[in-house]
Amino acid sequence: MQTDLSLTSSVSAGAELAIRECADQFRAEVWNCPVTAFRSRREERGNNRETAYIQAITAAAVTHTLTRNCSQGSLLVSKNSV
């Protein structure tokens, strides 16, 4: 299976958007949404509201980025990957 690089780069860009937005939202809080929270394995994260927020903001940012890139016509999706 061949990975479409524009799709992969869109997902990566969405993840980076999530990291920046999370840091911005919590910049004045005790838990300031460290990058390490995004980079840890899912099994290593606790079941808490911070983990839930990280998962939610990542899903939203990736979905937003993919949708934007698709509507702009900048995603090249092969028929084999659909």
Side-chain angles (χ1 to χ4, degrees):
M1 182 172 116
Q2 184 178 1
T3 303
D4 184 7
L5 292 179
S6 69
L7 183 61
T8 303
S9 60
S10 290
V11 171
S12 295
E16 290 298 321
L17 175 62
I19 291 168
R20 287 191 312 271
E21 181 61 26
C22 188
D24 186 52
Q25 291 293 321
F26 289 93
R27 66 184 173 275
E29 302 294 327
V30 173
W31 183 80
N32 60 358
C33 199
V35 172
T36 55
F38 285 87
R39 307 241 190 270
S40 63
R41 291 184 185 176
R42 195 173 288 199
E43 304 87 39
E44 295 172 356
R45 298 179 196 157
N47 287 330
N48 53 44
R49 60 184 172 186
E50 289 85 1
T51 298
Y53 185 80
I54 287 171
Q55 290 174 344
I57 197 167
T58 300
V62 169
T63 301
H64 170 77
T65 303
L66 287 170
T67 303
R68 185 190 63 220
N69 290 348
C70 185
S71 68
Q72 292 173 347
S74 61
L75 282 183
L76 303 173
V77 179
S78 67
K79 291 181 182 180
N80 293 337
S81 65
V82 177

Coordinates of all heavy atoms in Angstrom, one line a residue:
M1 N 0.8 -1.2 0.0 CA 0.0 0.0 0.0 C 0.9 1.2 0.0 O 1.8 1.4 0.8 CB -0.9 0.0 1.2 CG -1.8 1.2 1.3 SD -3.0 1.0 2.7 CE -2.5 2.3 3.7
Q2 N 0.6 2.2 -0.9 CA 1.4 3.4 -1.0 C 0.7 4.5 -0.2 O -0.5 4.7 -0.3 CB 1.6 3.8 -2.5 CG 2.4 5.0 -2.7 CD 2.6 5.3 -4.2 OE1 2.0 4.6 -5.0 NE2 3.3 6.3 -4.4
T3 N 1.5 5.2 0.6 CA 1.0 6.3 1.4 C 1.0 7.6 0.6 O 2.0 7.9 0.0 CB 1.8 6.5 2.7 OG1 1.8 5.2 3.4 CG2 1.2 7.5 3.6
D4 N -0.1 8.3 0.6 CA -0.1 9.5 -0.1 C 0.5 10.6 0.8 O 0.1 10.9 1.9 CB -1.6 9.9 -0.4 CG -1.7 11.2 -1.2 OD1 -0.7 11.7 -1.7 OD2 -2.9 11.6 -1.4
L5 N 1.6 11.2 0.3 CA 2.4 12.1 1.1 C 1.6 13.4 1.4 O 1.8 13.9 2.5 CB 3.7 12.4 0.4 CG 4.7 11.3 0.3 CD1 5.9 11.7 -0.4 CD2 5.0 10.8 1.7
S6 N 0.7 13.8 0.5 CA 0.0 15.0 0.9 C -1.0 14.8 2.0 O -1.3 15.6 2.8 CB -0.7 15.6 -0.4 OG -1.7 14.8 -0.8
L7 N -1.6 13.6 2.0 CA -2.5 13.2 3.1 C -1.7 13.1 4.4 O -2.1 13.6 5.5 CB -3.2 11.9 2.8 CG -4.2 11.4 3.8 CD1 -5.3 12.4 3.9 CD2 -4.7 10.0 3.4
T8 N -0.5 12.5 4.4 CA 0.3 12.3 5.6 C 0.8 13.7 6.1 O 0.7 14.0 7.3 CB 1.6 11.5 5.3 OG1 1.1 10.2 4.8 CG2 2.4 11.3 6.5
S9 N 1.1 14.6 5.2 CA 1.6 15.9 5.6 C 0.4 16.7 6.2 O 0.6 17.5 7.1 CB 2.3 16.7 4.5 OG 1.4 16.8 3.4
S10 N -0.8 16.5 5.7 CA -2.0 17.2 6.2 C -2.2 16.7 7.6 O -2.6 17.5 8.5 CB -3.2 16.9 5.4 OG -3.1 17.6 4.1
V11 N -2.1 15.4 7.9 CA -2.3 14.9 9.2 C -1.3 15.5 10.2 O -1.6 15.9 11.3 CB -2.3 13.4 9.2 CG1 -2.3 12.8 10.7 CG2 -3.5 12.8 8.5
S12 N 0.0 15.5 9.7 CA 1.1 16.1 10.5 C 0.8 17.5 10.8 O 1.0 18.0 12.0 CB 2.4 15.9 9.8 OG 2.7 14.5 9.7
A13 N 0.4 18.3 9.8 CA 0.1 19.7 10.0 C -1.0 19.9 11.0 O -1.0 20.8 11.9 CB -0.2 20.4 8.7
G14 N -2.0 19.0 11.0 CA -3.1 19.1 11.9 C -2.7 18.8 13.3 O -3.1 19.5 14.3
A15 N -1.8 17.8 13.5 CA -1.2 17.5 14.8 C -0.4 18.7 15.4 O -0.6 19.0 16.6 CB -0.4 16.3 14.8
E16 N 0.3 19.3 14.5 CA 1.1 20.5 15.0 C 0.2 21.7 15.3 O 0.4 22.4 16.3 CB 2.1 21.0 13.9 CG 3.2 20.0 13.7 CD 4.1 19.9 14.9 OE1 4.3 20.9 15.6 OE2 4.5 18.7 15.1
L17 N -0.9 21.8 14.6 CA -1.9 22.8 14.9 C -2.5 22.6 16.3 O -2.7 23.5 17.1 CB -3.0 22.9 13.9 CG -4.2 23.8 14.1 CD1 -3.8 25.2 14.2 CD2 -5.3 23.6 13.0
A18 N -2.8 21.3 16.6 CA -3.3 20.9 17.9 C -2.4 21.3 19.0 O -2.8 21.8 20.1 CB -3.6 19.4 18.0
I19 N -1.1 21.0 18.8 CA -0.1 21.3 19.9 C 0.0 22.8 20.1 O 0.0 23.3 21.3 CB 1.3 20.8 19.4 CG1 1.3 19.2 19.5 CG2 2.4 21.3 20.3 CD1 2.5 18.6 18.8
R20 N 0.0 23.6 19.1 CA 0.1 25.1 19.2 C -1.2 25.6 19.9 O -1.1 26.5 20.8 CB 0.3 25.8 17.9 CG 1.6 25.6 17.3 CD 1.9 26.5 16.1 NE 0.8 26.4 15.1 CZ 0.8 25.6 14.1 NH1 1.7 24.7 13.9 NH2 -0.2 25.7 13.2
E21 N -2.4 25.2 19.5 CA -3.6 25.7 20.0 C -3.7 25.3 21.5 O -4.2 26.1 22.3 CB -4.8 25.1 19.3 CG -6.2 25.6 19.7 CD -6.3 27.1 19.7 OE1 -5.7 27.8 18.9 OE2 -7.1 27.6 20.5
C22 N -3.4 24.0 21.9 CA -3.4 23.6 23.2 C -2.5 24.5 24.1 O -2.9 24.9 25.2 CB -3.0 22.1 23.3 SG -3.3 21.4 25.0
A23 N -1.3 24.7 23.7 CA -0.4 25.5 24.4 C -0.9 27.0 24.6 O -0.8 27.6 25.6 CB 1.0 25.6 23.7
D24 N -1.6 27.5 23.6 CA -2.2 28.8 23.6 C -3.3 28.9 24.6 O -3.4 29.8 25.4 CB -2.6 29.2 22.2 CG -3.1 30.7 22.2 OD1 -2.4 31.6 22.7 OD2 -4.3 30.9 21.7
Q25 N -4.2 27.8 24.6 CA -5.3 27.8 25.5 C -4.9 27.7 27.0 O -5.6 28.2 27.8 CB -6.2 26.6 25.1 CG -6.9 26.7 23.8 CD -8.0 27.9 23.8 OE1 -8.7 28.1 24.8 NE2 -8.0 28.6 22.7
F26 N -3.8 27.0 27.3 CA -3.4 26.8 28.7 C -2.2 27.5 29.1 O -1.6 27.2 30.1 CB -3.2 25.3 28.9 CG -4.5 24.5 28.9 CD1 -5.0 24.0 27.7 CD2 -5.3 24.4 30.0 CE1 -6.2 23.3 27.7 CE2 -6.5 23.7 30.0 CZ -7.0 23.2 28.9
R27 N -1.8 28.6 28.3 CA -0.6 29.3 28.6 C -0.5 29.9 30.0 O 0.6 30.0 30.6 CB -0.3 30.3 27.6 CG -1.3 31.5 27.6 CD -1.0 32.4 26.4 NE -2.1 33.4 26.3 CZ -3.2 33.3 25.7 NH1 -3.5 32.1 25.1 NH2 -4.1 34.2 25.7
A28 N -1.6 30.2 30.6 CA -1.6 30.8 32.0 C -2.0 29.9 33.1 O -2.2 30.3 34.2 CB -2.6 32.0 32.0
E29 N -2.1 28.6 32.8 CA -2.5 27.6 33.7 C -1.3 26.8 34.3 O -0.3 26.8 33.8 CB -3.5 26.6 33.1 CG -4.7 27.3 32.5 CD -5.6 27.9 33.5 OE1 -5.7 27.4 34.6 OE2 -6.2 29.0 33.2
V30 N -1.6 26.1 35.4 CA -0.6 25.3 36.0 C -0.2 24.2 35.0 O 1.0 23.9 34.8 CB -1.1 24.6 37.3 CG1 -0.1 23.6 37.9 CG2 -1.4 25.7 38.3
W31 N -1.1 23.5 34.5 CA -0.9 22.5 33.4 C -0.9 23.3 32.1 O -2.0 23.7 31.7 CB -1.9 21.4 33.4 CG -1.7 20.3 32.4 CD1 -0.8 19.3 32.5 CD2 -2.3 20.1 31.1 NE1 -0.8 18.5 31.4 CE2 -1.7 19.0 30.5 CE3 -3.3 20.8 30.4 CZ2 -2.1 18.6 29.3 CZ3 -3.6 20.4 29.2 CH2 -3.1 19.3 28.6
N32 N 0.2 23.5 31.5 CA 0.2 24.3 30.3 C 0.3 23.6 29.0 O 0.9 24.1 28.0 CB 1.4 25.3 30.4 CG 2.7 24.6 30.5 OD1 2.8 23.4 30.6 ND2 3.8 25.4 30.6
C33 N -0.2 22.3 29.0 CA -0.3 21.5 27.8 C 1.1 21.3 27.1 O 1.4 21.8 26.0 CB -1.2 22.2 26.8 SG -1.8 21.0 25.5
P34 N 2.0 20.6 27.8 CA 3.3 20.4 27.3 C 3.4 19.6 26.1 O 2.5 18.7 25.9 CB 4.1 19.8 28.5 CG 3.0 19.1 29.2 CD 1.8 19.9 29.1
V35 N 4.3 19.8 25.2 CA 4.4 19.0 24.0 C 4.6 17.5 24.3 O 4.2 16.6 23.6 CB 5.6 19.5 23.1 CG1 5.9 18.6 22.0 CG2 5.3 20.9 22.7
T36 N 5.3 17.2 25.4 CA 5.5 15.8 25.8 C 4.2 15.1 26.1 O 4.1 13.9 25.9 CB 6.3 15.7 27.1 OG1 5.7 16.5 28.1 CG2 7.7 16.3 26.9
A37 N 3.1 15.8 26.4 CA 1.8 15.2 26.6 C 1.3 14.6 25.3 O 0.6 13.6 25.2 CB 0.8 16.1 27.2
F38 N 1.6 15.2 24.2 CA 1.2 14.7 22.8 C 2.1 13.6 22.3 O 1.7 12.8 21.6 CB 1.3 15.9 21.8 CG 0.2 16.9 22.0 CD1 0.3 17.9 22.8 CD2 -1.0 16.7 21.2 CE1 -0.8 18.9 23.0 CE2 -2.0 17.6 21.3 CZ -1.9 18.7 22.2
R39 N 3.4 13.6 22.8 CA 4.3 12.7 22.3 C 4.4 11.3 23.0 O 4.9 10.4 22.6 CB 5.7 13.3 22.3 CG 5.8 14.6 21.6 CD 6.7 14.6 20.4 NE 7.0 15.9 19.9 CZ 6.3 16.5 18.9 NH1 5.2 15.9 18.4 NH2 6.6 17.6 18.5
S40 N 3.7 11.3 24.2 CA 3.7 10.0 25.0 C 2.8 9.0 24.4 O 1.9 9.4 23.6 CB 3.4 10.3 26.4 OG 2.0 10.8 26.5
R41 N 3.1 7.8 24.7 CA 2.2 6.7 24.2 C 0.9 6.8 24.8 O 0.7 7.2 26.0 CB 2.8 5.3 24.4 CG 4.1 5.1 23.7 CD 4.5 3.7 23.9 NE 5.8 3.4 23.2 CZ 6.5 2.3 23.4 NH1 6.0 1.4 24.2 NH2 7.6 2.2 22.7
R42 N -0.1 6.3 24.1 CA -1.5 6.4 24.6 C -1.6 5.5 25.9 O -2.3 5.9 26.8 CB -2.5 5.8 23.6 CG -3.9 6.2 23.9 CD -4.8 5.8 22.8 NE -4.6 6.7 21.7 CZ -5.4 6.9 20.7 NH1 -6.5 6.3 20.6 NH2 -5.2 7.8 19.8
E43 N -0.9 4.4 26.0 CA -0.9 3.5 27.2 C -0.3 4.2 28.4 O -0.6 3.9 29.5 CB -0.2 2.2 26.9 CG -0.7 1.4 25.7 CD 0.0 1.8 24.4 OE1 1.2 2.1 24.4 OE2 -0.7 1.9 23.4
E44 N 0.6 5.1 28.1 CA 1.3 5.8 29.2 C 0.5 7.0 29.8 O 0.8 7.4 30.9 CB 2.6 6.3 28.8 CG 3.6 5.2 28.4 CD 4.9 5.8 27.7 OE1 5.0 7.0 27.5 OE2 5.8 5.0 27.4
R45 N -0.5 7.4 29.1 CA -1.3 8.5 29.6 C -2.4 8.0 30.6 O -2.9 6.9 30.4 CB -2.0 9.2 28.4 CG -1.1 9.8 27.4 CD -1.9 10.4 26.3 NE -1.1 10.7 25.1 CZ -1.6 10.8 23.9 NH1 -2.9 10.7 23.7 NH2 -0.7 11.0 22.9
G46 N -2.7 8.8 31.5 CA -3.7 8.5 32.5 C -5.1 8.8 31.9 O -5.2 9.4 30.9
N47 N -6.1 8.3 32.5 CA -7.5 8.6 32.2 C -7.9 9.8 33.0 O -8.3 9.7 34.1 CB -8.4 7.4 32.5 CG -8.3 6.3 31.5 OD1 -7.9 6.5 30.3 ND2 -8.5 5.1 31.9
N48 N -7.7 11.0 32.4 CA -8.0 12.2 33.1 C -8.5 13.3 32.0 O -8.5 13.0 30.8 CB -6.8 12.7 33.9 CG -5.5 12.8 33.0 OD1 -5.6 13.3 31.9 ND2 -4.4 12.4 33.6
R49 N -8.8 14.4 32.5 CA -9.4 15.4 31.6 C -8.3 16.0 30.7 O -8.6 16.4 29.6 CB -10.1 16.5 32.4 CG -9.2 17.3 33.4 CD -10.0 18.3 34.1 NE -9.1 18.8 35.2 CZ -9.6 19.6 36.1 NH1 -10.8 20.0 36.1 NH2 -8.7 20.0 37.0
E50 N -7.0 16.0 31.1 CA -6.0 16.5 30.2 C -5.8 15.6 29.0 O -5.7 16.0 27.9 CB -4.7 16.6 31.0 CG -4.6 17.8 32.0 CD -5.2 17.4 33.3 OE1 -5.6 16.2 33.5 OE2 -5.2 18.3 34.2
T51 N -5.8 14.3 29.3 CA -5.7 13.3 28.2 C -6.9 13.4 27.2 O -6.8 13.4 26.0 CB -5.6 11.9 28.7 OG1 -4.4 11.8 29.5 CG2 -5.6 10.8 27.6
A52 N -8.1 13.6 27.8 CA -9.3 13.7 27.0 C -9.2 15.0 26.1 O -9.6 14.9 25.0 CB -10.6 13.8 27.9
Y53 N -8.7 16.0 26.7 CA -8.6 17.3 25.9 C -7.6 17.1 24.8 O -7.8 17.5 23.7 CB -8.2 18.4 26.8 CG -8.1 19.7 26.1 CD1 -9.3 20.5 25.9 CD2 -6.9 20.3 25.6 CE1 -9.3 21.6 25.2 CE2 -6.9 21.5 24.9 CZ -8.1 22.1 24.7 OH -8.0 23.3 24.0
I54 N -6.5 16.5 25.1 CA -5.4 16.2 24.0 C -6.0 15.4 22.9 O -5.8 15.7 21.7 CB -4.2 15.6 24.6 CG1 -3.4 16.6 25.5 CG2 -3.3 15.0 23.6 CD1 -2.3 16.0 26.3
Q55 N -6.7 14.4 23.2 CA -7.3 13.5 22.2 C -8.4 14.3 21.4 O -8.4 14.2 20.1 CB -8.0 12.3 22.8 CG -6.9 11.3 23.3 CD -7.5 10.1 24.0 OE1 -8.7 10.1 24.4 NE2 -6.7 9.1 24.2
A56 N -9.2 15.1 22.0 CA -10.2 15.9 21.4 C -9.7 17.0 20.5 O -10.1 17.1 19.3 CB -11.2 16.5 22.4
I57 N -8.7 17.7 21.0 CA -8.1 18.8 20.2 C -7.3 18.3 19.0 O -7.3 18.9 17.9 CB -7.3 19.8 21.1 CG1 -7.2 21.1 20.3 CG2 -6.0 19.2 21.5 CD1 -6.7 22.3 21.1
T58 N -6.7 17.1 19.2 CA -5.9 16.5 18.1 C -6.9 16.1 17.0 O -6.7 16.3 15.8 CB -5.1 15.4 18.6 OG1 -4.1 15.9 19.6 CG2 -4.3 14.7 17.4
A59 N -8.0 15.4 17.4 CA -8.9 14.9 16.4 C -9.6 16.1 15.7 O -9.7 16.1 14.4 CB -10.0 14.1 17.1
A60 N -9.9 17.2 16.4 CA -10.5 18.4 15.7 C -9.5 19.1 14.8 O -9.9 19.4 13.7 CB -11.0 19.3 16.8
A61 N -8.3 19.2 15.2 CA -7.3 19.9 14.4 C -6.9 19.1 13.1 O -6.8 19.7 12.0 CB -6.0 20.2 15.2
V62 N -6.8 17.8 13.2 CA -6.5 17.0 12.1 C -7.7 17.0 11.1 O -7.6 17.1 9.9 CB -6.2 15.5 12.5 CG1 -6.1 14.6 11.3 CG2 -4.8 15.5 13.2
T63 N -8.9 16.9 11.6 CA -10.1 16.9 10.8 C -10.2 18.3 10.1 O -10.5 18.3 8.9 CB -11.4 16.6 11.7 OG1 -11.3 15.4 12.3 CG2 -12.7 16.7 10.8
H64 N -10.0 19.3 10.8 CA -10.0 20.7 10.3 C -9.0 20.8 9.1 O -9.4 21.3 8.0 CB -9.8 21.7 11.3 CG -9.6 23.1 10.8 ND1 -10.6 23.9 10.4 CD2 -8.4 23.8 10.6 CE1 -10.1 25.0 10.0 NE2 -8.8 25.0 10.1
T65 N -7.8 20.4 9.4 CA -6.8 20.5 8.3 C -7.1 19.7 7.1 O -6.9 20.2 6.0 CB -5.4 20.1 8.9 OG1 -5.1 21.0 10.1 CG2 -4.3 20.3 7.9
L66 N -7.5 18.4 7.3 CA -7.8 17.6 6.2 C -9.0 18.2 5.4 O -9.0 18.2 4.1 CB -8.2 16.2 6.6 CG -7.0 15.3 7.1 CD1 -7.5 14.1 7.7 CD2 -6.1 15.0 5.9
T67 N -10.0 18.7 6.1 CA -11.2 19.2 5.4 C -10.8 20.5 4.6 O -11.2 20.7 3.4 CB -12.3 19.6 6.4 OG1 -12.6 18.4 7.1 CG2 -13.5 20.2 5.7
R68 N -10.0 21.3 5.2 CA -9.5 22.6 4.5 C -8.7 22.2 3.3 O -8.9 22.8 2.2 CB -8.7 23.4 5.5 CG -8.3 24.8 4.9 CD -7.3 25.5 5.7 NE -6.1 24.7 5.8 CZ -5.3 24.5 6.8 NH1 -5.6 25.1 8.0 NH2 -4.2 23.8 6.8
N69 N -7.8 21.3 3.4 CA -6.9 20.9 2.3 C -7.7 20.3 1.2 O -7.4 20.5 0.0 CB -5.8 20.1 2.8 CG -4.8 20.8 3.6 OD1 -4.8 22.0 3.7 ND2 -3.9 20.1 4.3
C70 N -8.7 19.5 1.6 CA -9.5 18.8 0.6 C -10.4 19.8 -0.2 O -10.5 19.8 -1.4 CB -10.4 17.8 1.3 SG -11.4 16.8 0.1
S71 N -11.0 20.8 0.6 CA -11.8 21.8 -0.1 C -11.1 22.7 -1.0 O -11.6 23.2 -1.9 CB -12.6 22.6 0.9 OG -11.8 23.4 1.7
Q72 N -9.8 22.9 -0.7 CA -8.9 23.7 -1.5 C -8.4 22.9 -2.7 O -7.7 23.5 -3.6 CB -7.7 24.2 -0.7 CG -8.1 25.2 0.3 CD -6.9 25.6 1.2 OE1 -5.9 25.0 1.2 NE2 -7.1 26.7 1.9
G73 N -8.7 21.6 -2.7 CA -8.2 20.8 -3.9 C -6.7 20.4 -3.8 O -6.2 20.0 -4.8
S74 N -6.1 20.5 -2.6 CA -4.7 20.2 -2.5 C -4.4 18.8 -2.0 O -3.2 18.5 -1.9 CB -4.1 21.3 -1.6 OG -4.6 21.2 -0.3
L75 N -5.4 18.0 -1.8 CA -5.2 16.6 -1.4 C -5.2 15.7 -2.7 O -6.2 15.8 -3.5 CB -6.2 16.1 -0.4 CG -6.0 16.5 1.0 CD1 -7.1 15.8 1.9 CD2 -4.7 16.1 1.5
L76 N -4.3 14.9 -2.8 CA -4.3 13.9 -3.9 C -4.5 12.5 -3.4 O -3.7 11.9 -2.8 CB -2.9 14.0 -4.7 CG -2.5 15.3 -5.2 CD1 -1.1 15.2 -5.7 CD2 -3.5 15.7 -6.3
V77 N -5.8 12.1 -3.5 CA -6.1 10.8 -3.0 C -6.3 9.8 -4.2 O -7.1 10.1 -5.1 CB -7.5 10.9 -2.2 CG1 -7.8 9.5 -1.6 CG2 -7.3 11.9 -1.1
S78 N -5.5 8.7 -4.1 CA -5.6 7.8 -5.2 C -6.9 6.9 -5.0 O -7.4 6.8 -3.9 CB -4.4 6.9 -5.2 OG -4.4 6.1 -4.1
K79 N -7.4 6.3 -6.1 CA -8.6 5.5 -6.1 C -8.4 4.3 -5.3 O -9.3 3.7 -4.7 CB -9.0 5.2 -7.5 CG -9.5 6.3 -8.3 CD -10.0 6.0 -9.6 CE -10.5 7.2 -10.4 NZ -10.9 6.9 -11.7
N80 N -7.1 3.8 -5.2 CA -6.8 2.6 -4.4 C -6.9 2.8 -2.9 O -7.1 1.9 -2.2 CB -5.4 2.1 -4.7 CG -5.3 1.6 -6.2 OD1 -6.3 1.3 -6.8 ND2 -4.1 1.7 -6.7
S81 N -6.8 4.1 -2.4 CA -6.8 4.3 -1.0 C -8.2 4.6 -0.5 O -8.4 4.7 0.7 CB -5.9 5.5 -0.7 OG -6.3 6.7 -1.2
V82 N -9.2 4.8 -1.4 CA -10.6 5.1 -1.0 C -11.4 3.8 -0.8 O -11.2 2.8 -1.3 CB -11.3 6.0 -2.1 CG1 -12.7 6.2 -1.7 CG2 -10.5 7.2 -2.2

